[in-house]
Amino acid sequence: MSDDKKSKKPELTEHEQLAKLKDKYELAKEYYARDQRRMRMLEMTDNGDMWRAIGSDFPAYQILPDTNFVSYVKDNILASLYTTAKSAEIIPTSEDDRELCTKLNLVLNNFWSTQNVGYKQFQAGERAALLNLGITQVGWNEHEYSGKGDYAHKGQVVIRNINPMNFMRDPFSSCLEEASWCCTYERLHKSVILADERYRDKFKEWLKKGDGIGENEVFPNYGSTRENAAQLDHYNLFRWWVKTPDGIDEIHTVSHDVILYKKENIKPSVFPFAELYCNSPSSGLVGISGPAKIFANGVAYNLMNSLALTAEYKQQRPPKFVSAQSGLNIAAFTRYGSEADRTFVVNQDAERAVHYHQFPPISANINNVMQGLQFDIQNV
């Protein structure tokens, strides 16, 4: 063999490929841990579950208000940005391009309306407003037929949004374009996987080996107390895009145990994702959203509110100290002693028979503190 010819590197076995992919996933999971924990807390708070998001542990009598400043900031960002769903317009730069641009604009407007792109754009914007990152995947479905009559054709552009908490890229790259790989993952019922003809045969073969009775590996669920246990007949589907010397390979696996689908050197040779950031992430992987900036202030405001409300509640139902010589029916007094229009017989002065505990009064400055927190949130 001549010196100018390079020896071809042997191809990796399926087991070796899966091992490399799993190593990438485990490494990225460590780098994404803090961002994903924050995103999980923001999503739970946006859904009205702030106290569980922060793992609070209060007595049963504690009043837990939830003034949702996270939703307030998110909704204001959305209202200021997404007023209409308008597609871009191609402008000709010369008279010769006018007819071509007119046709392209018709195609673009038709695609925008039939694929509901405006709503998908809004959904990605909602994720970006809350989590600072929205992700839209653009692909091609070669099995779908579109158009009618002479304009019928096979194949269609497919757009879908990806949950930012189910997306990771090479953590050592400064942006997606410079990344060596990226992946998405979701948990699906086996019927969904079997319905995809790309997966069907390999997945059935894998199930026959006895691996299809449940999985121990689950996705990160940072900041949530809900048990994320493996569910019967549900499996973790990973979709990978990995750069190689020849281009980008697309690989789909089930929990890094078997490769269900692989397409080498996809075209165009770019990662099929569009990232939408609310604030520039700088050198970070996700960055900080507006709701994340006010999250701590929102928790402090609700905590002050909880203390004030609970103090008032406790003053209405304080502990009672009953004199043993009063002759009071303790069982009846315990049950009805806090109600109006009740009469109890005692053997001595009623004021000496029962003593009500006085809790420390709430600080007179608490309203000023809460107003200051609210002001800071509204002017973030």
Side-chain angles (χ1 to χ4, degrees), residues 263-290:
K263 185 175 182 180
E264 297 181 347
N265 196 16
I266 63 171
K267 300 298 181 181
S269 187
V270 294
F271 292 123
F273 298 99
E275 293 179 310
L276 176 64
Y277 290 100
C278 187
N279 296 313
S280 173
S282 186
S283 59
L285 292 169
V286 176
I288 304 296
S289 65

PDB file of all heavy atoms in Angstrom, residues 263-290:
ATOM      1  N   LYS A 263     -29.139   5.962  10.235  1.00  0.00           N
ATOM      2  CA  LYS A 263     -29.006   6.555   8.905  1.00  0.00           C
ATOM      3  C   LYS A 263     -27.711   7.339   8.877  1.00  0.00           C
ATOM      4  O   LYS A 263     -27.527   8.299   9.631  1.00  0.00           O
ATOM      5  CB  LYS A 263     -30.192   7.467   8.601  1.00  0.00           C
ATOM      6  CG  LYS A 263     -30.169   8.027   7.175  1.00  0.00           C
ATOM      7  CD  LYS A 263     -31.422   8.836   6.875  1.00  0.00           C
ATOM      8  CE  LYS A 263     -31.406   9.336   5.444  1.00  0.00           C
ATOM      9  NZ  LYS A 263     -32.633  10.122   5.128  1.00  0.00           N
ATOM     10  N   GLU A 264     -26.810   6.936   8.018  1.00  0.00           N
ATOM     11  CA  GLU A 264     -25.495   7.560   7.944  1.00  0.00           C
ATOM     12  C   GLU A 264     -25.520   8.762   6.994  1.00  0.00           C
ATOM     13  O   GLU A 264     -26.215   8.759   5.979  1.00  0.00           O
ATOM     14  CB  GLU A 264     -24.444   6.545   7.484  1.00  0.00           C
ATOM     15  CG  GLU A 264     -24.261   5.379   8.449  1.00  0.00           C
ATOM     16  CD  GLU A 264     -23.195   4.413   7.979  1.00  0.00           C
ATOM     17  OE1 GLU A 264     -22.781   4.518   6.803  1.00  0.00           O
ATOM     18  OE2 GLU A 264     -22.776   3.546   8.774  1.00  0.00           O
ATOM     19  N   ASN A 265     -24.745   9.768   7.375  1.00  0.00           N
ATOM     20  CA  ASN A 265     -24.528  10.941   6.526  1.00  0.00           C
ATOM     21  C   ASN A 265     -25.854  11.550   6.062  1.00  0.00           C
ATOM     22  O   ASN A 265     -26.159  11.597   4.867  1.00  0.00           O
ATOM     23  CB  ASN A 265     -23.669  10.563   5.321  1.00  0.00           C
ATOM     24  CG  ASN A 265     -23.102  11.797   4.623  1.00  0.00           C
ATOM     25  OD1 ASN A 265     -23.099  12.891   5.172  1.00  0.00           O
ATOM     26  ND2 ASN A 265     -22.644  11.609   3.390  1.00  0.00           N
ATOM     27  N   ILE A 266     -26.655  12.034   7.017  1.00  0.00           N
ATOM     28  CA  ILE A 266     -27.954  12.617   6.688  1.00  0.00           C
ATOM     29  C   ILE A 266     -27.768  13.887   5.853  1.00  0.00           C
ATOM     30  O   ILE A 266     -26.730  14.539   5.906  1.00  0.00           O
ATOM     31  CB  ILE A 266     -28.752  12.932   7.961  1.00  0.00           C
ATOM     32  CG1 ILE A 266     -28.015  13.992   8.808  1.00  0.00           C
ATOM     33  CG2 ILE A 266     -29.016  11.680   8.764  1.00  0.00           C
ATOM     34  CD1 ILE A 266     -28.834  14.507   9.971  1.00  0.00           C
ATOM     35  N   LYS A 267     -28.788  14.229   5.086  1.00  0.00           N
ATOM     36  CA  LYS A 267     -28.787  15.431   4.273  1.00  0.00           C
ATOM     37  C   LYS A 267     -29.992  16.290   4.640  1.00  0.00           C
ATOM     38  O   LYS A 267     -31.100  15.763   4.768  1.00  0.00           O
ATOM     39  CB  LYS A 267     -28.827  15.077   2.786  1.00  0.00           C
ATOM     40  CG  LYS A 267     -27.659  14.243   2.299  1.00  0.00           C
ATOM     41  CD  LYS A 267     -26.336  14.967   2.461  1.00  0.00           C
ATOM     42  CE  LYS A 267     -25.175  14.111   1.948  1.00  0.00           C
ATOM     43  NZ  LYS A 267     -23.872  14.793   2.114  1.00  0.00           N
ATOM     44  N   PRO A 268     -29.778  17.589   4.797  1.00  0.00           N
ATOM     45  CA  PRO A 268     -28.501  18.311   4.795  1.00  0.00           C
ATOM     46  C   PRO A 268     -27.669  17.941   6.018  1.00  0.00           C
ATOM     47  O   PRO A 268     -28.204  17.493   7.032  1.00  0.00           O
ATOM     48  CB  PRO A 268     -28.918  19.776   4.829  1.00  0.00           C
ATOM     49  CG  PRO A 268     -30.254  19.767   5.495  1.00  0.00           C
ATOM     50  CD  PRO A 268     -30.923  18.500   5.061  1.00  0.00           C
ATOM     51  N   SER A 269     -26.388  18.145   5.916  1.00  0.00           N
ATOM     52  CA  SER A 269     -25.469  17.701   6.959  1.00  0.00           C
ATOM     53  C   SER A 269     -25.408  18.725   8.093  1.00  0.00           C
ATOM     54  O   SER A 269     -24.357  19.326   8.374  1.00  0.00           O
ATOM     55  CB  SER A 269     -24.075  17.480   6.362  1.00  0.00           C
ATOM     56  OG  SER A 269     -23.216  16.892   7.325  1.00  0.00           O
ATOM     57  N   VAL A 270     -26.548  18.913   8.772  1.00  0.00           N
ATOM     58  CA  VAL A 270     -26.645  19.818   9.930  1.00  0.00           C
ATOM     59  C   VAL A 270     -27.556  19.167  10.954  1.00  0.00           C
ATOM     60  O   VAL A 270     -28.389  18.313  10.617  1.00  0.00           O
ATOM     61  CB  VAL A 270     -27.201  21.207   9.534  1.00  0.00           C
ATOM     62  CG1 VAL A 270     -26.241  21.939   8.617  1.00  0.00           C
ATOM     63  CG2 VAL A 270     -28.575  21.069   8.896  1.00  0.00           C
ATOM     64  N   PHE A 271     -27.438  19.585  12.192  1.00  0.00           N
ATOM     65  CA  PHE A 271     -28.344  19.100  13.217  1.00  0.00           C
ATOM     66  C   PHE A 271     -29.742  19.659  12.940  1.00  0.00           C
ATOM     67  O   PHE A 271     -29.892  20.866  12.730  1.00  0.00           O
ATOM     68  CB  PHE A 271     -27.877  19.533  14.606  1.00  0.00           C
ATOM     69  CG  PHE A 271     -26.593  18.885  15.048  1.00  0.00           C
ATOM     70  CD1 PHE A 271     -25.495  19.653  15.410  1.00  0.00           C
ATOM     71  CD2 PHE A 271     -26.486  17.508  15.101  1.00  0.00           C
ATOM     72  CE1 PHE A 271     -24.307  19.057  15.823  1.00  0.00           C
ATOM     73  CE2 PHE A 271     -25.302  16.896  15.508  1.00  0.00           C
ATOM     74  CZ  PHE A 271     -24.211  17.669  15.862  1.00  0.00           C
ATOM     75  N   PRO A 272     -30.777  18.815  12.952  1.00  0.00           N
ATOM     76  CA  PRO A 272     -32.119  19.254  12.529  1.00  0.00           C
ATOM     77  C   PRO A 272     -32.900  19.974  13.619  1.00  0.00           C
ATOM     78  O   PRO A 272     -34.067  19.669  13.867  1.00  0.00           O
ATOM     79  CB  PRO A 272     -32.781  17.923  12.146  1.00  0.00           C
ATOM     80  CG  PRO A 272     -32.173  16.934  13.074  1.00  0.00           C
ATOM     81  CD  PRO A 272     -30.738  17.366  13.265  1.00  0.00           C
ATOM     82  N   PHE A 273     -32.267  20.936  14.283  1.00  0.00           N
ATOM     83  CA  PHE A 273     -32.922  21.639  15.390  1.00  0.00           C
ATOM     84  C   PHE A 273     -32.720  23.141  15.254  1.00  0.00           C
ATOM     85  O   PHE A 273     -31.660  23.594  14.797  1.00  0.00           O
ATOM     86  CB  PHE A 273     -32.365  21.177  16.739  1.00  0.00           C
ATOM     87  CG  PHE A 273     -32.576  19.717  17.026  1.00  0.00           C
ATOM     88  CD1 PHE A 273     -31.549  18.803  16.813  1.00  0.00           C
ATOM     89  CD2 PHE A 273     -33.791  19.253  17.489  1.00  0.00           C
ATOM     90  CE1 PHE A 273     -31.734  17.459  17.066  1.00  0.00           C
ATOM     91  CE2 PHE A 273     -33.984  17.915  17.741  1.00  0.00           C
ATOM     92  CZ  PHE A 273     -32.963  17.011  17.527  1.00  0.00           C
ATOM     93  N   ALA A 274     -33.741  23.874  15.658  1.00  0.00           N
ATOM     94  CA  ALA A 274     -33.638  25.326  15.780  1.00  0.00           C
ATOM     95  C   ALA A 274     -33.821  25.669  17.251  1.00  0.00           C
ATOM     96  O   ALA A 274     -34.816  25.277  17.867  1.00  0.00           O
ATOM     97  CB  ALA A 274     -34.705  26.017  14.937  1.00  0.00           C
ATOM     98  N   GLU A 275     -32.833  26.360  17.821  1.00  0.00           N
ATOM     99  CA  GLU A 275     -32.881  26.737  19.237  1.00  0.00           C
ATOM    100  C   GLU A 275     -33.385  28.174  19.361  1.00  0.00           C
ATOM    101  O   GLU A 275     -32.981  29.054  18.609  1.00  0.00           O
ATOM    102  CB  GLU A 275     -31.502  26.623  19.868  1.00  0.00           C
ATOM    103  CG  GLU A 275     -30.976  25.201  19.981  1.00  0.00           C
ATOM    104  CD  GLU A 275     -29.601  25.152  20.600  1.00  0.00           C
ATOM    105  OE1 GLU A 275     -28.719  25.898  20.134  1.00  0.00           O
ATOM    106  OE2 GLU A 275     -29.396  24.379  21.546  1.00  0.00           O
ATOM    107  N   LEU A 276     -34.274  28.386  20.312  1.00  0.00           N
ATOM    108  CA  LEU A 276     -34.817  29.713  20.583  1.00  0.00           C
ATOM    109  C   LEU A 276     -34.509  30.073  22.029  1.00  0.00           C
ATOM    110  O   LEU A 276     -34.961  29.384  22.949  1.00  0.00           O
ATOM    111  CB  LEU A 276     -36.325  29.738  20.339  1.00  0.00           C
ATOM    112  CG  LEU A 276     -37.050  31.041  20.685  1.00  0.00           C
ATOM    113  CD1 LEU A 276     -36.559  32.190  19.804  1.00  0.00           C
ATOM    114  CD2 LEU A 276     -38.557  30.889  20.552  1.00  0.00           C
ATOM    115  N   TYR A 277     -33.730  31.130  22.215  1.00  0.00           N
ATOM    116  CA  TYR A 277     -33.378  31.580  23.566  1.00  0.00           C
ATOM    117  C   TYR A 277     -34.103  32.874  23.891  1.00  0.00           C
ATOM    118  O   TYR A 277     -34.230  33.755  23.032  1.00  0.00           O
ATOM    119  CB  TYR A 277     -31.865  31.812  23.682  1.00  0.00           C
ATOM    120  CG  TYR A 277     -31.044  30.551  23.651  1.00  0.00           C
ATOM    121  CD1 TYR A 277     -30.400  30.149  22.475  1.00  0.00           C
ATOM    122  CD2 TYR A 277     -30.892  29.765  24.784  1.00  0.00           C
ATOM    123  CE1 TYR A 277     -29.637  28.998  22.445  1.00  0.00           C
ATOM    124  CE2 TYR A 277     -30.135  28.611  24.759  1.00  0.00           C
ATOM    125  CZ  TYR A 277     -29.508  28.229  23.585  1.00  0.00           C
ATOM    126  OH  TYR A 277     -28.758  27.085  23.559  1.00  0.00           O
ATOM    127  N   CYS A 278     -34.571  32.993  25.130  1.00  0.00           N
ATOM    128  CA  CYS A 278     -35.166  34.246  25.588  1.00  0.00           C
ATOM    129  C   CYS A 278     -34.066  35.233  25.975  1.00  0.00           C
ATOM    130  O   CYS A 278     -34.119  36.404  25.620  1.00  0.00           O
ATOM    131  CB  CYS A 278     -36.088  33.983  26.774  1.00  0.00           C
ATOM    132  SG  CYS A 278     -37.045  35.424  27.299  1.00  0.00           S
ATOM    133  N   ASN A 279     -33.074  34.752  26.705  1.00  0.00           N
ATOM    134  CA  ASN A 279     -31.879  35.533  27.039  1.00  0.00           C
ATOM    135  C   ASN A 279     -30.652  34.774  26.548  1.00  0.00           C
ATOM    136  O   ASN A 279     -30.629  33.543  26.582  1.00  0.00           O
ATOM    137  CB  ASN A 279     -31.776  35.758  28.556  1.00  0.00           C
ATOM    138  CG  ASN A 279     -32.919  36.582  29.102  1.00  0.00           C
ATOM    139  OD1 ASN A 279     -33.263  37.618  28.548  1.00  0.00           O
ATOM    140  ND2 ASN A 279     -33.535  36.119  30.188  1.00  0.00           N
ATOM    141  N   SER A 280     -29.654  35.493  26.112  1.00  0.00           N
ATOM    142  CA  SER A 280     -28.456  34.837  25.600  1.00  0.00           C
ATOM    143  C   SER A 280     -27.830  33.956  26.682  1.00  0.00           C
ATOM    144  O   SER A 280     -27.637  34.404  27.820  1.00  0.00           O
ATOM    145  CB  SER A 280     -27.434  35.887  25.146  1.00  0.00           C
ATOM    146  OG  SER A 280     -26.205  35.269  24.805  1.00  0.00           O
ATOM    147  N   PRO A 281     -27.530  32.683  26.346  1.00  0.00           N
ATOM    148  CA  PRO A 281     -26.946  31.793  27.359  1.00  0.00           C
ATOM    149  C   PRO A 281     -25.472  32.047  27.606  1.00  0.00           C
ATOM    150  O   PRO A 281     -24.877  31.402  28.469  1.00  0.00           O
ATOM    151  CB  PRO A 281     -27.157  30.408  26.756  1.00  0.00           C
ATOM    152  CG  PRO A 281     -27.113  30.639  25.277  1.00  0.00           C
ATOM    153  CD  PRO A 281     -27.730  32.003  25.053  1.00  0.00           C
ATOM    154  N   SER A 282     -24.868  32.959  26.825  1.00  0.00           N
ATOM    155  CA  SER A 282     -23.435  33.217  26.938  1.00  0.00           C
ATOM    156  C   SER A 282     -22.675  31.903  26.738  1.00  0.00           C
ATOM    157  O   SER A 282     -22.855  31.233  25.730  1.00  0.00           O
ATOM    158  CB  SER A 282     -23.117  33.860  28.293  1.00  0.00           C
ATOM    159  OG  SER A 282     -21.765  34.233  28.375  1.00  0.00           O
ATOM    160  N   SER A 283     -21.893  31.500  27.707  1.00  0.00           N
ATOM    161  CA  SER A 283     -21.138  30.247  27.568  1.00  0.00           C
ATOM    162  C   SER A 283     -21.850  29.076  28.223  1.00  0.00           C
ATOM    163  O   SER A 283     -21.316  27.969  28.260  1.00  0.00           O
ATOM    164  CB  SER A 283     -19.744  30.407  28.193  1.00  0.00           C
ATOM    165  OG  SER A 283     -19.840  30.758  29.564  1.00  0.00           O
ATOM    166  N   GLY A 284     -23.070  29.305  28.721  1.00  0.00           N
ATOM    167  CA  GLY A 284     -23.811  28.234  29.389  1.00  0.00           C
ATOM    168  C   GLY A 284     -24.534  27.346  28.400  1.00  0.00           C
ATOM    169  O   GLY A 284     -24.596  27.625  27.192  1.00  0.00           O
ATOM    170  N   LEU A 285     -25.111  26.281  28.908  1.00  0.00           N
ATOM    171  CA  LEU A 285     -25.850  25.338  28.066  1.00  0.00           C
ATOM    172  C   LEU A 285     -27.285  25.783  27.843  1.00  0.00           C
ATOM    173  O   LEU A 285     -27.844  25.552  26.771  1.00  0.00           O
ATOM    174  CB  LEU A 285     -25.832  23.942  28.704  1.00  0.00           C
ATOM    175  CG  LEU A 285     -24.476  23.245  28.740  1.00  0.00           C
ATOM    176  CD1 LEU A 285     -24.540  22.007  29.629  1.00  0.00           C
ATOM    177  CD2 LEU A 285     -24.029  22.859  27.338  1.00  0.00           C
ATOM    178  N   VAL A 286     -27.887  26.421  28.843  1.00  0.00           N
ATOM    179  CA  VAL A 286     -29.295  26.822  28.748  1.00  0.00           C
ATOM    180  C   VAL A 286     -29.471  28.314  28.994  1.00  0.00           C
ATOM    181  O   VAL A 286     -30.231  28.974  28.287  1.00  0.00           O
ATOM    182  CB  VAL A 286     -30.151  26.014  29.754  1.00  0.00           C
ATOM    183  CG1 VAL A 286     -31.593  26.496  29.737  1.00  0.00           C
ATOM    184  CG2 VAL A 286     -30.094  24.529  29.427  1.00  0.00           C
ATOM    185  N   GLY A 287     -28.793  28.862  29.986  1.00  0.00           N
ATOM    186  CA  GLY A 287     -28.974  30.264  30.316  1.00  0.00           C
ATOM    187  C   GLY A 287     -30.075  30.453  31.360  1.00  0.00           C
ATOM    188  O   GLY A 287     -30.699  29.506  31.823  1.00  0.00           O
ATOM    189  N   ILE A 288     -30.335  31.718  31.699  1.00  0.00           N
ATOM    190  CA  ILE A 288     -31.283  32.062  32.755  1.00  0.00           C
ATOM    191  C   ILE A 288     -32.449  32.844  32.150  1.00  0.00           C
ATOM    192  O   ILE A 288     -32.257  33.847  31.478  1.00  0.00           O
ATOM    193  CB  ILE A 288     -30.612  32.905  33.852  1.00  0.00           C
ATOM    194  CG1 ILE A 288     -29.389  32.171  34.411  1.00  0.00           C
ATOM    195  CG2 ILE A 288     -31.601  33.205  34.968  1.00  0.00           C
ATOM    196  CD1 ILE A 288     -29.715  30.879  35.116  1.00  0.00           C
ATOM    197  N   SER A 289     -33.662  32.379  32.422  1.00  0.00           N
ATOM    198  CA  SER A 289     -34.862  33.053  31.927  1.00  0.00           C
ATOM    199  C   SER A 289     -35.308  34.134  32.905  1.00  0.00           C
ATOM    200  O   SER A 289     -34.838  34.196  34.048  1.00  0.00           O
ATOM    201  CB  SER A 289     -35.988  32.040  31.730  1.00  0.00           C
ATOM    202  OG  SER A 289     -36.381  31.493  32.979  1.00  0.00           O
ATOM    203  N   GLY A 290     -36.254  34.989  32.451  1.00  0.00           N
ATOM    204  CA  GLY A 290     -36.811  36.000  33.334  1.00  0.00           C
ATOM    205  C   GLY A 290     -37.476  35.400  34.561  1.00  0.00           C
ATOM    206  O   GLY A 290     -37.223  35.851  35.688  1.00  0.00           O
TER     207      GLY A 290
END
